[in-house]
Each structure stands twice: as C-alpha cells, then as structure tokens.
Amino acid sequence: MDINACGLVDLTKMIDPRGNLTVAEGMKDVPFDVARVYWVYDVPAGESRGGHAHRHCREFIVAVSGSFNVTLDNGSDKRTFHLNHPYQGLLVETDIWRTLDDFSSGSVCLVLASDPFLEEDYIRDYDQFMAYLNEKANEQLSK
C-alpha cells in the first residue's frame, strides 16, 4: 500500500460562540461507511497503542481531546502524524502498520472504522506483517 494514500483530512469546523461543532459523515467527510466507532482514553504516560495492521478495515483517527502521534508504516516507508485538532482526522488505509504514542494527559483518540471488529482482520506481529506484505507482493508479480 502506498503510504501517501493515508493522510490528514480537514473536517468542517462550525464556529459558534456557544461552542464549536465538527461533523464526520460516512461517505462524505470520511471516505467509507462507518461500521464501528471506538475511543481510547486514560493512556498511561509512556504507553503506546495500536501496534497492528488491518487486511481489510480502513480507519479514520481523530484526537477529539489532547494530542498524540500516529506512526504509519507500509513496510518500506514510515510517516508520523501529530494529531491535536478535533476538526482533523487521519485516514489510515489497509495494509498499514500503525502505532499511537506520546499521548498528552487527558487525550481521547476516536476511531471510525469501515468494518465491524473481526480478529482475523488484524495482523498483530510485525514480522508476520512483513511476511504478509511480501506474500501479497509476490501474488501481484505472478498476475
């Protein structure tokens, strides 16, 4: 997967003196139908989250409060994004290893996912991830 297919997406920020509002609609602001929503919070100092890739599920990651870093890795290139705006999300495509770290105190990470939870979709070991990418590349070459 081309790591450049992943990137930051600005969402509409509606400014109001009573408080701002941002909306993320599937197939409009987020380039897929949202099948699952979850959030990560109370991450202890120095801990990281993620540490996996998905075969089929796409994700849209938002720092709804605080900040954290997301490092994306496609097996040959790495990019790190600092998320700290609740009106901006990071699109993460399939076949990309992701690690989230450097969480600020009180941060909340919201994830919109294209698929329901399915353990078989996860690759949780980096060496297995690399083997999967190599196998996929070999399949593409043989076509």
Side-chain angles (χ1 to χ4, degrees), residues 24-38 58 60 111-116:
E25 295 182 27
M27 297 307 298
K28 183 178 176 188
D29 307 295
V30 178
F32 53 78
D33 282 326
V34 177
R36 179 169 54 120
V37 177
Y38 63 93
R58 300 164 73 194
F60 192 80
V111 181
L112 309 177
S114 65
D115 298 338

Side-chain angles (χ1 to χ4, degrees), residues 3 38 40 43 46-54 59 61 68-74 77-83 90 92 96-103 109 111 123-126 129:
I3 203 163
Y38 63 93
V40 178
V43 178
E47 290 296 324
S48 65
R49 298 291 308 212
H52 65 268
H54 290 282
E59 293 182 334
I61 303 172
F68 51 88
N69 292 330
V70 181
T71 300
L72 304 180
D73 178 348
N74 69 353
D77 297 312
K78 289 184 181 183
R79 288 179 68 192
T80 299
F81 296 87
H82 183 69
L83 299 184
L90 176 62
V92 182
I96 300 288
W97 188 268
R98 81 281 326 269
T99 305
L100 290 72
D101 60 16
D102 199 22
F103 287 83
C109 169
V111 181
I123 305 170
R124 297 184 185 273
D125 178 85
Y126 191 80
F129 170 67

